C-alpha cells in the first residue's frame, strides 16, 4: 500500500506541471488559431464560403486604397505623440515619486487608479467633461470665456485627435511610471547619492546618472505604449474624426461590411497593422537581449 501511494504521489508530481500549463496552452492555441486564420483570410482563403484559392488580390486592394496613407499617418501620429508625451510624463512622475515619501494613498491616486480604469471609462469621462455639451465648455460659457459651449474644441471628432491623445496620456503616463519607478528609485539611492556626495546638484545627478541608467526600461515602456496606441481601435473609434480614420478603425469597419468576402480586405489591413506592431515587438526584444548581454 505504501509503495502504491508513493508511486501515485510521484506520478502526480510529474503530471502536475503539465496540468497547470494546460489553461495557458489552450489560450495560446486559440490565439494562434485566430492569427493563422486571419492571415489566411487576408490571402483570400475562406473555405466556409467556398474561397480556397491563394491570392494577393486583397492585399493589393488594401495597399492601393486612396485613404490608406492618411489612415496609417494618423495612426502613427497618435502612437508617436502619445508615446513621447507618456514617456516624458512618466519620467517626471517617477522622479517625483522617488523624491517624496510615497504613501499608500499617493500610490493609489497617481498610478493604481489610472491603471485599473478601462479605456472605455476614460472615454466616457472625457466625453462628459469635454464634448460640446460637456461640463467644461458649459462652465467656460457661464464664466464668459467662450461665446457658446460649441466654441470649445470638442473631444469627439476633432481632426487633431486631441481627445485620443489625452485619453492615452492619462492612461499611459502611470504605466511608464509603474515600469520605471522601482528601478529609478534603486538607481537614485545607490548612484544618485554618490553623485551628490561629489557635488552634483539633484537635477544634474538625475539627468546624468539616474536617467541614463534607466534608459532600457524607459525604451521598453515607450515601445509597449507605441504598439498599443497604434493597434487599439476602441478609443479612436469613439473619439476619432470621420476622416482620416485610424488604421484599426478602418480595418474594423471593413470587417463589419455586410459582404462577408470583404473580411479578406479587413484582414489585409490588419496585416499592415500587425507588421508595424511586430516591428515594435522585435525592437522590444532587441532591447531586452541587449540588457541581458550587458549585465
Amino acid at each position: 500500500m505504501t509503495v502504491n501511494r508513493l508511486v501515485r504521489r510521484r506520478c502526480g508530481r510529474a503530471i502536475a506541471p503539465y496540468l497547470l500549463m494546460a489553461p495557458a496552452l489552450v489560450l495560446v492555441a486559440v490565439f494562434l488559431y485566430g492569427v493563422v486564420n486571419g492571415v489566411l483570410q487576408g490571402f483570400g482563403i475562406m473555405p466556409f464560403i467556398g474561397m480556397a484559392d491563394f491570392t494577393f488580390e486583397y492585399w493589393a486592394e488594401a495597399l492601393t486604397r486612396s485613404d490608406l496613407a492618411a489612415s496609417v499617418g494618423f495612426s502613427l501620429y497618435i502612437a508617436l505623440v502619445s508615446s513621447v508625451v507618456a514617456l516624458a510624463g512618466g519620467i517626471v512622475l517617477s522622479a517625483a515619486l522617488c523624491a517624496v515619501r510615497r504613501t499608500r494613498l499617493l500610490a493609489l491616486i497617481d498610478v493604481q487608479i489610472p491603471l485599473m480604469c478601462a479605456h472605455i471609462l476614460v472615454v466616457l469621462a472625457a466625453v462628459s467633461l469635454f464634448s460640446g455639451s460637456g461640463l467644461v465648455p458649459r462652465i467656460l460659457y457661464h464664466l464668459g470665456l467662450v461665446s457658446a459651449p460649441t466654441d470649445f474644441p470638442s473631444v469627439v471628432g476633432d481632426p487633431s485627435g486631441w481627445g485620443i491623445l489625452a485619453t492615452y496620456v492619462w492612461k499611459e503616463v502611470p504605466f511608464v511610471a509603474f515600469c520605471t519607478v522601482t528601478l529609478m528609485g534603486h538607481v537614485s539611492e545607490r548612484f544618485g547619492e554618490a553623485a551628490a556626495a561629489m557635488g552634483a546638484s539633484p537635477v544634474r545627478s538625475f539627468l546624468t546618472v539616474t536617467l541614463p541608467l534607466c534608459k532600457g526600461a524607459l525604451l521598453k515602456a515607450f515601445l509597449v505604449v507605441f504598439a498599443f496606441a497604434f493597434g487599439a481601435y476602441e478609443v479612436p473609434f469613439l473619439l476619432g474624426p470621420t476622416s482620416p480614420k485610424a488604421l484599426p478603425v478602418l480595418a474594423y469597419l471593413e470587417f463589419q461590411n455586410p459582404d462577408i468576402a470583404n473580411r479578406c480586405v479587413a484582414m489585409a489591413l490588419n496585416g499592415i497593422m500587425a507588421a508595424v506592431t511586430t516591428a515594435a515587438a522585435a525592437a522590444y526584444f532587441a532591447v531586452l537581449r541587449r540588457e541581458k548581454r550587458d549585465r
Side-chain angles (χ1 to χ4, degrees):
M1 181 66 68
T2 304
V3 174
N4 291 335
R5 184 177 300 175
L6 182 61
V7 171
R8 288 198 300 268
R9 185 176 298 176
R10 288 181 177 177
C11 292
R13 290 177 179 176
I15 296 174
Y18 300 99
L19 293 177
L20 293 174
M21 289 174 58
L25 292 176
V26 170
L27 291 176
V28 170
V30 172
F31 173 76
L32 291 177
Y33 171 79
V35 171
V36 172
N37 191 44
V39 171
L40 292 176
Q41 288 186 13
F43 291 104
I45 299 177
M46 298 176 67
F48 55 91
I49 60 171
M51 297 173 58
D53 295 330
F54 188 91
T55 177
F56 289 96
E57 174 186 351
Y58 300 103
W59 271 89
E61 182 178 345
L63 291 173
T64 55
R65 292 175 62 106
S66 59
D67 55 351
L68 179 64
S71 180
V72 173
F74 185 69
S75 292
L76 287 173
Y77 157 73
I78 292 295
L80 283 172
V81 173
S82 60
S83 301
V84 170
V85 176
L87 183 66
I91 291 172
V92 173
L93 181 57
S94 295
L97 293 175
C98 293
V100 301
R101 185 176 180 181
R102 193 181 181 196
T103 64
R104 181 173 297 180
L105 178 61
L106 182 61
L108 180 67
I109 293 173
D110 58 27
V111 174
Q112 295 180 20
I113 288 180
L115 288 178
M116 290 187 294
C117 288
H119 283 82
I120 189 67
L121 296 180
V122 184
V123 169
L124 291 175
V127 171
S128 300
L129 290 173
F130 301 111
S131 65
S133 59
L135 181 62
V136 172
R138 284 185 288 172
I139 290 176
L140 294 178
Y141 171 70
H142 287 296
L143 292 176
L145 299 177
V146 295
S147 57
T150 53
D151 289 343
F152 187 84
S154 178
V155 73
V156 181
D158 191 86
S160 67
W162 77 269
I164 305 172
L165 296 173
T167 300
Y168 283 150
V169 167
W170 190 86
K171 280 284 294 179
E172 308 309 338
V173 165
F175 172 77
V176 174
F178 177 79
C179 293
T180 58
V181 66
T182 302
L183 176 61
M184 191 172 289
H186 182 67
V187 170
S188 297
E189 289 177 0
R190 292 187 59 189
F191 300 102
E193 292 178 0
M198 296 176 67
S201 66
V203 175
R204 184 177 181 182
S205 174
F206 178 78
L207 293 177
T208 59
V209 178
T210 303
L211 202 57
L213 291 175
C214 296
K215 64 181 180 180
L218 292 169
L219 183 55
K220 288 187 291 185
F222 172 85
L223 291 170
V224 170
V225 174
F226 174 85
F228 176 83
F230 187 85
Y233 90 94
E234 67 271 26
V235 177
F237 180 75
L238 295 171
L239 298 181
T242 304
S243 180
K245 293 180 174 64
L247 185 59
V249 176
L250 194 64
Y252 174 76
L253 294 177
E254 292 294 338
F255 186 84
Q256 292 294 100
N257 192 297
D259 184 4
I260 194 170
N262 208 63
R263 286 188 182 182
C264 297
V265 179
M267 293 305 170
L269 292 171
N270 279 333
I272 299 171
M273 184 170 56
V276 176
T277 53
T278 300
Y284 178 94
F285 285 108
V287 173
L288 191 62
R289 178 178 294 182
R290 183 175 180 178
E291 286 183 338
K292 291 182 179 180
R293 185 184 60 197
D294 293 341
R295 285 177 184 174

